[in-house]
């Protein structure tokens, strides 16, 4: 029997998307590459643990969970997290950014300056610009200021991001317009923290990085992996955790977070046999191994 591998998730490198496996093995993903894997016949999905430690109980977790953690490990994972706002003493400088995912979908967020644009790639931001840089609490206060004064959200659901990827404006200038307009409104606000240094407007576009130019409309997305199921398709685009795979029935989106916790095997057949669901309509537009 072939060795089963466990996926640690999709990461973005300077060369593009990479699948990372437990033990350190890495699989670079390039456009046109065949992605094909199966789930072990008697396999179950187990908790991936928290903060580098294995789940003490080896708990079984639901196939549709994108976190792949039991309740206790999920709590521990967020107990020391900037995203969960549970730490305030991180001495590193933080960037405040505006990220655009499609028409009408701009969010504000923060990320450690040392991470560069990795956080934006991980979220699937189609384009973005920095707003400022400074201490963590100053960055957090600026984020809250924009949310309250300009009604800018700090989260956009992945389902909404996926729904518009095949219908984005064609030019980088059109894609940058909402970010530029919001940037001007943001920097005009009073009460910015004095310790936050404002950054000039420089919109970075990820359409080429993600392979979204001419992207076919997806017919659906994988809803979960199941024991004995197979995923197979040609990679046509990737954004955030999502792989857009061309299959015999059309393009299907695989959220690679659904892969974690399973024992996965190489597959020779390319048929897609895991459960899928169609996209929902969103804002008038039809609703991520080797």
């Amino acid at each position: 029997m072939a060795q089963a591998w466990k996926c640690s998730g999709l990461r973005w490198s300077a060369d593009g998307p990479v699948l990372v496996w437990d033990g350190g093995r890495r699989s670079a993903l390039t456009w046109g590459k065949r992605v094909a894997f199966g789930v072990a016949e008697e396999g179950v999905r187990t908790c991936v643990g928290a903060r580098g430690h294995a789940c003490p109980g080896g708990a079984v977790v639901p196939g549709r969970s994108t976190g792949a953690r039991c309740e206790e490990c999920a709590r521990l994972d967020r107990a020391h997290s900037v995203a969960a706002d549970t730490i305030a003493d991180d001495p590193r400088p933080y960037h405040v950014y505006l990220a655009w995912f499609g028409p009408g979908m701009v969010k504000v967020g923060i990320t450690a300056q040392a991470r560069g644009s990795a956080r934006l790639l991980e979220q699937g931001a189609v384009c973005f610009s920095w707003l400022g840089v400074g201490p963590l609490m100053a960055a957090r206060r600026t984020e809250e200021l924009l949310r309250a004064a300009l009604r800018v959200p700090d989260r956009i659901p992945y389902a909404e991001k996926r729904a518009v990827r095949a219908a984005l404006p064609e030019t980088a200038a059109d894609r940058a317009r909402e970010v530029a307009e919001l940037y001007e409104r943001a920097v005009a606000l009073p009460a910015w923290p004095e310790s936050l240094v404002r950054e000039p407007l420089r919109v970075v576009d990820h359409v080429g990085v993600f392979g979204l130019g001419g992207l076919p409309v997806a017919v659906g997305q994988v809803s979960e992996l199941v024991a004995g199921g197979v995923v197979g398709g040609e990679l046509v685009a990737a954004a955030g955790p999502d792989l857009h795979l061309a299959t015999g029935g059309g393009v299907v989106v695989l959220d690679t977070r659904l892969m974690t916790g399973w024992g996965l095997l190489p597959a020779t057949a390319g048929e897609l046999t895991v459960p899928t669901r169609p996209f929902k309509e969103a804002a008038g537009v039809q609703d991520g191994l080797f």
Side-chain angles (χ1 to χ4, degrees):
M1 179 180 293
Q3 178 184 358
W5 292 82
K6 287 205 168 183
C7 184
S8 301
L10 184 68
R11 303 288 184 271
W12 284 88
S13 73
D15 298 321
V18 176
L19 281 175
V20 180
W21 306 89
D22 288 4
R25 177 188 172 197
R26 299 167 71 87
S27 302
L29 298 172
T30 55
W31 313 141
K33 191 168 189 175
R34 185 75 181 169
V35 175
F37 63 88
V39 182
E41 285 284 352
E42 304 299 324
V44 293
R45 193 184 192 200
T46 55
C47 175
V48 297
R51 309 194 66 79
H53 300 285
C55 176
V60 175
V61 294
R64 297 194 176 200
S65 165
T66 54
R69 289 186 174 92
C70 66
E71 290 185 10
E72 181 63 15
C73 286
R75 183 186 66 79
L76 291 173
D77 191 62
R78 294 180 66 81
H80 191 74
S81 166
V82 171
D85 207 16
T86 55
I87 62 174
D89 57 353
D90 189 336
R92 298 176 298 170
Y94 274 76
H95 264 131
V96 185
Y97 62 81
L98 292 171
W100 184 86
F101 301 90
M105 290 189 286
V106 184
K107 63 157 280 188
V108 60
I110 68 173
T111 184
Q113 184 182 33
R115 295 205 68 209
S117 61
R119 181 65 179 147
L120 286 304
L121 293 165
E122 291 166 358
Q123 294 183 60
V126 176
C127 62
F128 79 95
S129 178
W130 304 125
L131 269 174
V133 63
L136 172 59
M137 294 314 295
R140 184 66 82 193
R141 285 196 297 273
T142 305
E143 181 184 40
E144 292 297 327
L145 173 64
L146 267 64
R147 289 176 59 192
L150 301 182
R151 305 180 71 85
V152 184
D154 63 350
R155 298 179 189 276
I156 294 178
Y158 275 104
E160 295 181 16
K161 301 175 189 179
R162 295 176 185 127
V164 299
R165 284 187 191 138
L168 297 172
E170 292 186 4
T171 70
D174 287 337
R175 294 190 293 270
R177 184 168 292 114
E178 287 185 72
V179 170
E181 291 173 353
L182 191 56
Y183 175 93
E184 295 302 328
R185 294 174 60 199
V187 297
L189 290 173
W192 274 55
E194 293 183 1
S195 56
L196 192 86
V197 178
R198 299 186 188 185
E199 296 270 19
L201 175 67
R202 292 193 183 98
V203 180
V204 178
D205 192 281
H206 286 153
V207 162
V209 176
F210 291 154
L212 301 180
L215 181 67
V217 175
V219 298
Q221 64 189 65
V222 173
S223 54
E224 63 179 317
L225 302 187
V226 293
V230 173
V231 172
E234 179 183 306
L235 184 65
V236 294
D242 297 337
L243 303 182
H244 290 246
L245 303 174
T247 72
V251 172
V252 174
V253 180
L254 168 66
D255 185 336
T256 54
R257 296 176 297 176
L258 297 175
M259 296 169 63
T260 56
W262 287 104
L264 303 176
L265 304 166
T268 54
E271 296 296 325
L272 187 72
T273 64
V274 295
T276 61
R277 63 175 181 269
F279 283 130
K280 296 179 181 179
E281 294 292 327
V285 181
Q286 187 180 8
D287 199 39
L289 211 52
F290 309 85

